[in-house]
Amino acid sequence: MKTKDFEPKIMTFLCNWCSYAGADLAGVSRLQYPTNTRVIRVPCSGRIDPLFILKCLQDGYDGVLISGCHPGDCHYISGNYVARRRFAILKTALEFMGIEPGRVQFSWVSAGEGEKFSQVISKVTEAVKVLGPMRKLVKAANSLVG
Amino acid sequence: MSSVLKLSRSAEEGLRELLKFLLEKKRVKAVFTLCKIKKNGTVSYSLITDADMLKDALPLFPLMPQNAGKLLSRLTLKEHLAEPIAAVVRPCELRAFIELVKREQGSLENFIFISTTCPGTYPLEMSVNGDISKKLPEYEEDVKKGNVISDTRPICKACEHFMPYSADMTVALIGEKDIDKNCEIFLNTEKAEKLIEGMDGELVERELETEEVKNLRSKRQEEKRKLFEEINVEGLGLSGLVETFGRCIGCHGCSRVCPICYCVLCDFDSRDYENEPSTYESELKKRGGVRVPPNTVLYHLGRLTHVSVSCVGCGMCTDVCPADIPLSTIFLKVGEEVQKIFNYIPGKDVEEAIPLNKFEKDEFTEVED
Ligand code: SF4
Ligand code: SF4
Ligand code: FES
């Protein structure tokens, strides 16, 4: 598949208190952004286990975006800081696994940042498009090996 | 310099005598140590209160039938110890226990930890036909010389953390020329000094970190490099990992014995990881054939992300794997990479929070958009 025809599927985990509302605002404001994303609303970015991300990549998503409240704004005070640490671990592990770390992205979007939300989605979609389809892990999980 | 209790008997006898003294003088309520299992030539961890039964104790037997850290957690999970127990454990087992305590899976209260400069242990499979007992003379010679010991577990040969970090007492073994005649017990804490008061033996002052210890550390580093190279751990990549983990029979034994995998109900044992019929159908349509059971590779990738911050490199996972997957080599490597970013040595210091329980406000900003 050529990159230009390739429409990636991107899973987005959005914090209920900020980025999810930011996405809403983008919608209400009729901002245009790529339709490659599927949204899962989470109570806090700190709820996301790296396993969720790996599972998405295995199940055929080409990229994953996690978006939470800005530093200092997490409703549970430190959920997003811990999420960032977990994420740093995942990046290290992804590199070891030979999965492009760029497939997994992390951002802060507040409820008032509809504009930023649409930009983040465009940026992530573009980045994942360049990386191409996530065939490796999908195949690894299901094919007969050897 | 530390103060050292010197006993004129072999290291193992001396240690047994110390344990006996502690029990008889009621300084401890019980002793936790490896103990001979009658007749079959192997050992098991045991709790002992009867001083006479200590004659069957083999505190230095070079086998890790389980990671003791996991056992001590089970002993103190519901309630901390009401009375003191002296536990003889290896450095990586003590580190594992401390990692569990940091996760509120046990309590250090009332424990007295006795450890050794650790020469390493033999693979579990060697315990089956009494092979280890035959090896003991050779083992002792190598311990005296401060060698990397042949036929011990690859992970032990490559272990750099063989000096206990937080034991109350440390029995010096590595590079000690006369462990068959002398037992030197380092008293690392005030508690330790109090406990041995009134015991026969000479008190001396010396360093634990000898030339032999330093030499062994560099030999082990070299072994580690070789171990990583052997399976080309850095170059495995996804296809290498899939091939390696592809041998997995899905028994989940590796997580069962891993001290860091402490969840009571593992997500991977749940129905969530069974494919829906529709998934089978669509995959079959695409590929004409699929692996059953599903998710064996994901299980390992998931475990890697969960365990890596705290993996103590104890090697239990490799030891139990029926498919001979070099798990601990892979986990040690990823563990090191992950621990490096937080400058963290698992189980070194109980006061230091695990990296996922703390944060800095302006760190890892490079991972954000
Ligand atoms: S012990 Fe070996 S076979 Fe069993 S789940 Fe772990 S890797 Fe797979
Ligand atoms: S992953 Fe293996 S080596 Fe690491 S702590 Fe668990 S059992 Fe020990
Ligand atoms: S509540 Fe939004 S990241 Fe924690």
Side-chain angles (χ1 to χ4, degrees):
Chain A
M1 208 186 303
K2 281 193 228 91
T3 311
K4 68 169 169 36
D5 312 322
F6 167 57
E7 286 301 336
K9 254 200 298 181
I10 296 168
M11 181 59 86
T12 57
F13 291 96
L14 305 181
C15 164
N16 174 50
W17 302 105
C18 49
S19 307
Y20 191 80
D24 253 356
L25 182 61
V28 172
S29 319
R30 297 180 176 274
L31 298 172
Q32 296 290 318
Y33 60 85
T35 53
N36 303 60
T37 56
R38 313 287 184 272
V39 176
I40 293 182
R41 178 161 62 156
V42 288
C44 170
S45 61
R47 173 63 184 90
I48 296 155
D49 191 297
L51 202 52
F52 300 174
I53 301 170
L54 289 170
K55 182 95 167 78
C56 291
L57 294 175
Q58 174 191 279
D59 288 354
Y61 285 88
D62 305 295
V64 179
L65 168 70
I66 294 125
S67 190
C69 308
H70 281 272
D73 289 349
C74 173
H75 278 51
Y76 310 97
I77 305 189
S78 57
N80 51 1
Y81 291 123
V82 172
R84 188 168 59 186
R85 283 201 154 202
R86 244 185 237 144
F87 193 68
I89 295 176
L90 180 67
K91 285 257 178 197
T92 310
L94 287 177
E95 255 161 63
F96 174 80
M97 293 166 195
I99 298 171
E100 302 90 341
R103 291 192 184 276
V104 184
Q105 308 238 1
F106 196 68
S107 77
W108 315 120
V109 172
S110 76
E113 295 177 321
E115 183 69 39
K116 180 169 179 198
F117 182 81
S118 71
Q119 285 162 4
V120 167
I121 297 293
S122 308
K123 211 188 78 191
V124 172
T125 308
E126 235 4 83
V128 176
K129 230 179 219 181
V130 172
L131 290 173
M134 179 66 205
R135 288 214 190 85
K136 284 197 287 188
L137 191 56
V138 185
K139 213 164 134 232
N142 296 310
S143 307
L144 303 164
V145 181
Chain B
M1 288 292 212
S2 325
S3 80
V4 180
L5 175 70
K6 199 167 163 184
L7 307 170
S8 318
R9 41 187 94 255
S10 76
E12 183 139 51
E13 279 171 45
L15 180 49
R16 226 181 274 127
E17 181 157 310
L18 167 73
L19 298 173
K20 197 158 173 248
F21 174 86
L22 294 175
L23 267 187
E24 281 174 351
K25 290 277 181 270
K26 301 202 168 21
R27 308 251 160 111
V28 300
K29 174 74 182 186
V31 163
F32 174 91
T33 182
L34 288 175
C35 209
K36 193 165 20 181
I37 303 177
K38 299 262 181 298
K39 293 207 187 80
N40 72 0
T42 186
V43 293
S44 149
Y45 273 112
S46 317
L47 269 176
I48 298 172
T49 49
D50 178 352
D52 287 340
M53 284 178 76
L54 280 175
K55 63 180 191 317
D56 286 331
L58 291 173
L60 302 180
F61 197 79
L63 181 76
M64 192 183 293
Q66 298 201 36
N67 184 308
K70 195 154 186 148
L71 299 177
L72 298 184
S73 144
R74 286 171 67 178
L75 284 176
T76 55
L77 193 58
K78 295 198 170 169
E79 210 170 317
H80 64 74
L81 297 178
E83 289 178 84
I85 289 185
V88 188
V89 296
R90 294 179 184 279
C92 63
E93 296 175 306
L94 183 50
R95 290 207 290 137
F97 185 42
I98 287 179
E99 282 304 295
L100 286 164
V101 168
K102 289 185 191 184
R103 289 168 168 75
E104 297 178 27
Q105 299 300 307
S107 159
L108 294 177
E109 193 155 330
N110 274 324
F111 269 115
I112 293 110
F113 292 110
I114 304 173
S115 194
T116 70
T117 56
C118 182
T121 64
Y122 289 111
L124 215 44
E125 58 180 13
M126 273 175 67
S127 75
V128 184
N129 1 335
D131 288 350
I132 296 180
S133 308
K134 282 177 230 146
K135 284 259 175 198
L136 289 179
E138 181 189 324
Y139 183 86
E140 187 173 296
E141 276 320 298
D142 278 328
V143 175
K144 287 183 185 174
K145 289 188 195 130
N147 287 344
V148 170
I149 304 174
S150 57
D151 300 331
T152 50
R153 301 182 306 161
I155 200 80
C156 289
K157 291 185 190 169
C159 168
E160 285 180 62
H161 302 279
F162 56 86
M163 308 284 277
Y165 290 111
S166 45
D168 295 287
M169 306 186 203
T170 305
V171 182
L173 295 179
I174 287 168
E176 303 292 326
K177 300 279 171 297
D178 45 5
I179 42 171
D180 48 340
K181 298 194 257 332
N182 275 326
C183 175
E184 303 204 6
I185 303 167
F186 281 69
L187 308 169
N188 307 324
T189 56
E190 244 170 73
K191 191 159 70 173
E193 291 183 16
K194 271 228 163 61
L195 281 166
I196 59 105
E197 261 169 32
M199 204 176 156
D200 286 340
E202 193 188 342
L203 276 177
V204 297
E205 295 271 308
R206 57 162 285 204
E207 291 288 352
L208 185 59
E209 177 102 13
T210 56
E211 269 319 297
E212 284 84 353
V213 164
K214 288 188 189 121
N215 285 340
L216 183 62
R217 191 172 290 123
S218 44
K219 283 186 232 169
R220 295 248 184 123
Q221 278 159 352
E222 178 55 23
E223 287 292 328
K224 184 160 74 184
R225 203 188 50 72
K226 279 198 274 184
L227 181 67
F228 287 164
E229 214 172 76
E230 219 169 88
I231 63 160
N232 181 22
V233 72
E234 262 153 299
L236 277 177
L238 194 57
S239 55
L241 284 175
V242 169
E243 210 179 294
T244 309
F245 291 143
R247 302 207 295 270
C248 171
I249 62 165
C251 66
H252 295 187
C254 48
S255 68
R256 219 65 90 220
V257 296
C258 174
I260 307 304
C261 267
Y262 67 92
C263 297
V264 182
L265 297 173
C266 175
D267 203 34
F268 283 106
D269 291 332
S270 74
R271 296 277 162 93
D272 288 358
Y273 292 86
E274 295 300 341
N275 281 352
E276 298 289 334
S278 59
T279 311
Y280 279 118
E281 219 166 294
S282 71
E283 284 300 317
L284 282 168
K285 211 172 263 169
K286 258 186 272 173
R287 299 172 207 287
V290 296
R291 266 180 74 96
V292 181
N295 290 317
T296 33
V297 173
L298 185 69
Y299 162 73
H300 290 286
L301 301 185
R303 224 174 81 75
L304 271 173
T305 62
H306 282 174
V307 167
S308 53
V309 256
S310 289
C311 169
V312 293
C314 68
M316 284 309 300
C317 47
T318 302
D319 245 7
V320 301
C321 179
D324 211 13
I325 298 174
L327 292 157
S328 52
T329 309
I330 296 170
F331 277 72
L332 181 68
K333 176 69 195 166
V334 179
E336 282 190 350
E337 293 298 321
V338 167
Q339 291 155 21
K340 210 160 57 193
I341 60 179
F342 301 109
N343 198 4
Y344 183 70
I345 297 180
K348 182 174 178 185
D349 178 4
V350 72
E351 299 300 328
E352 190 185 357
I354 44 178
L356 288 172
N357 276 356
K358 63 171 187 194
F359 58 86
E360 304 288 335
K361 292 214 155 98
D362 41 16
E363 59 177 4
F364 302 120
T365 46
E366 70 282 359
V367 306
E368 307 160 14
D369 58 291

